[in-house]
Amino acid sequence: MAESGKAEAGRKKKDGKARPPAPAGIDFLASHGGPFFDLQAQLSLLKQNSLQVGRRAVLFVAIAWAVPFFLGLPDSLSLAPVGRTYLTDLTVWARFFIAIAAFVLAEQQVERGLHVKLDQFMQAPLIAPEAMPAAMRAVAAALRQRDWRNAELVCLLIAALVAVLSYVNLHESHVASWAVRTGPDGDRLTLAGWWTILVSYPLFVFLFLRGLWRHFVWTRLMRRIADLDLRLVASHPDGKGGLAFLAEYPNAYTLFVFGISSVVAAALAKHSLLASLSLNTFTLVVSGWLVIVVALFAYPLSAFSVPLMRMKQAGLLLLSTQATRYHRAAERKLLGRNVIAEDPDEAGEEVADPSKQFDVTRKLSTMLISRAAIVPLAGAALLPFVVVVATRLPFKEVWSVVKKLLLL
């Protein structure tokens, strides 16, 4: 207490007025909070200081993938025909094994990545002292939205609706599979089929929608912070006013994107679209998917283009004025007078050369998103498609398309 009092007194003594103390950091934990988190905590699946993502990923995969496997024994062990048995159904592996595991494992990665990025606003500091109360209110609002019960209730209702649609689709498919048995008396679901409809599908959809909701909360928080007074500087070596660190936040979602991309790629394979797939069609499909993924994570960053553009325009105007004064002074020193619009009041004026600063400001990028910052995310989005399509098209051609997309 005594040391903090001396530090505060030092600040007052230095500039003659008190400054609001800077917060030590922002306690924004993207994967904490909400009814589902609380339920898992009550079941001792996680702790406040540990998400225990590895253990929970194994448990949820066991519930969604392993239980139907055991319910379908001994038929679950069959490997033929492809797509009709449990072990050869790509969508089963993608949704209930890969995606669910990826969604859970991504929680730790996302929480750590977003927390570090947000804390950098305080450490730099990038938020003006007078805007700090508004920043803390924005964080508090984001935490309330993160914990909003109705949001997870909506996710659960949508998951239930998907389960109903899955039941209708399976019941009317009239195609024998691990989930449906056909016979003279009509189609009936197997125990494995019932479990996937009642448990596996809802769990997969709920985890996916919950992750999207929390990214939406982060998006709103970033856009609110972008509206505050930010201490940006055009000459920052990162070339983005000091905000380049934020452009890397999408890479915290690589596991999440890999999970959902696996589901999309598996659906592409299961619906027999690969049979007539050409290289041009593959390029079109993966390009469209990559655009969707990048747009989802670029939207929060786009809000910072406004303050960056504002700073760039204002800086160039001021530096242009300074450059005019400097070069007029240089002209007088060389020629003894100004060639045009001689002003006696300018005689003897000493002005610093702003040329270097002007050039740096002119090159300032107002777009945070960049290829280098999202290559890992793009790779995670494309990898499942490469694995699936490489079974139908030459790998060299597929890899050539992927490399071109990554270089964009």
Side-chain angles (χ1 to χ4, degrees), residues 106 109-114 248-256 377:
Q109 185 183 31
V110 169
E111 183 166 278
R112 184 184 297 113
L114 301 191
E248 299 175 358
Y249 101 84
N251 291 329
Y253 283 87
T254 51
L255 280 174
F256 186 86
L377 182 76

Side-chain angles (χ1 to χ4, degrees), residues 52-347:
Q52 299 182 339
V53 292
R55 188 175 75 170
R56 290 194 297 119
V58 171
L59 175 62
F60 289 161
V61 168
I63 292 173
W65 183 88
V67 171
F69 172 79
F70 286 110
L71 289 176
L73 288 175
D75 294 338
S76 297
L77 297 173
S78 175
L79 296 177
V82 175
R84 300 288 178 82
T85 62
Y86 195 79
L87 290 181
T88 60
D89 193 330
L90 292 180
T91 58
V92 168
W93 284 97
R95 291 170 182 163
F96 309 142
F97 195 101
I98 298 176
I100 286 181
F103 294 161
V104 177
L105 292 173
E107 291 180 7
Q108 185 70 61
Q109 185 183 31
V110 169
E111 183 166 278
R112 184 184 297 113
L114 301 191
H115 187 273
V116 169
K117 297 296 182 287
L118 193 56
D119 195 55
Q120 179 64 16
F121 279 95
M122 303 295 111
Q123 299 298 327
L126 285 168
I127 300 176
E130 59 272 16
M132 192 59 66
M136 301 312 294
R137 287 195 296 271
V139 173
L143 290 174
R144 288 194 298 271
Q145 292 168 354
R146 181 200 68 180
D147 299 342
W148 195 29
R149 290 180 175 274
N150 288 345
E152 293 195 0
L153 178 60
V154 170
C155 293
L156 189 60
L157 291 176
I158 295 176
L161 177 61
V162 171
V164 172
L165 295 177
S166 299
Y167 168 78
V168 173
N169 182 57
L170 287 174
H171 200 266
E172 296 181 354
S173 64
H174 304 299
V175 177
S177 68
W178 60 268
V180 180
R181 291 286 182 267
T182 58
D185 299 331
D187 300 342
R188 62 181 181 84
L189 296 180
T190 64
L191 288 177
W194 276 113
W195 184 272
T196 56
I197 288 174
L198 297 177
V199 179
S200 303
Y201 270 112
L203 180 59
F204 159 72
V205 175
F206 177 78
L207 291 176
F208 169 63
L209 294 177
R210 183 173 178 264
L212 279 186
W213 166 253
R214 292 183 175 229
H215 181 260
F216 173 73
V217 171
W218 168 260
T219 298
R220 293 195 63 185
L221 175 59
M222 287 297 96
R223 299 189 73 84
R224 290 187 66 177
I225 289 178
D227 289 335
L228 302 177
D229 292 331
L230 301 178
R231 296 157 53 95
L232 305 179
V233 55
S235 59
H236 197 285
D238 68 4
K240 298 181 185 296
L243 291 173
F245 73 93
L246 191 60
E248 299 175 358
Y249 101 84
N251 291 329
Y253 283 87
T254 51
L255 280 174
F256 186 86
V257 169
F258 177 77
I260 195 61
S261 293
S262 299
V263 174
V264 177
L268 178 70
K270 185 171 183 178
H271 287 84
S272 302
L273 297 179
L274 291 182
S276 58
L277 187 68
S278 66
L279 190 63
N280 290 335
T281 304
F282 168 72
T283 303
L284 183 63
V285 170
V286 296
S287 298
W289 176 245
L290 190 59
V291 168
I292 293 173
V293 171
V294 172
L296 176 65
F297 296 100
Y299 180 65
L301 299 175
S302 65
F304 292 92
S305 294
V306 175
L308 284 170
M309 180 64 72
R310 190 185 303 124
M311 178 190 66
K312 183 175 182 177
Q313 292 175 343
L316 288 176
L317 287 175
L318 291 174
L319 290 168
S320 179
T321 301
Q322 180 82 349
T324 300
R325 294 173 57 203
Y326 171 78
H327 286 286
R328 282 180 61 83
E331 186 180 73
R332 287 193 302 273
K333 186 175 181 180
L334 179 65
L335 303 177
R337 64 182 297 274
N338 289 121
V339 176
I340 299 295
E342 175 72 12
D343 186 352
D345 293 337
E346 293 179 340

Side-chain angles (χ1 to χ4, degrees), residues 389-407:
V389 177
T391 61
R392 296 283 182 172
L393 297 175
F395 178 77
K396 289 184 177 180
E397 295 182 2
V398 173
W399 179 240
S400 176
V401 171
V402 172
K403 284 196 298 184
K404 290 178 181 179
L405 292 174
L406 292 177
L407 290 174

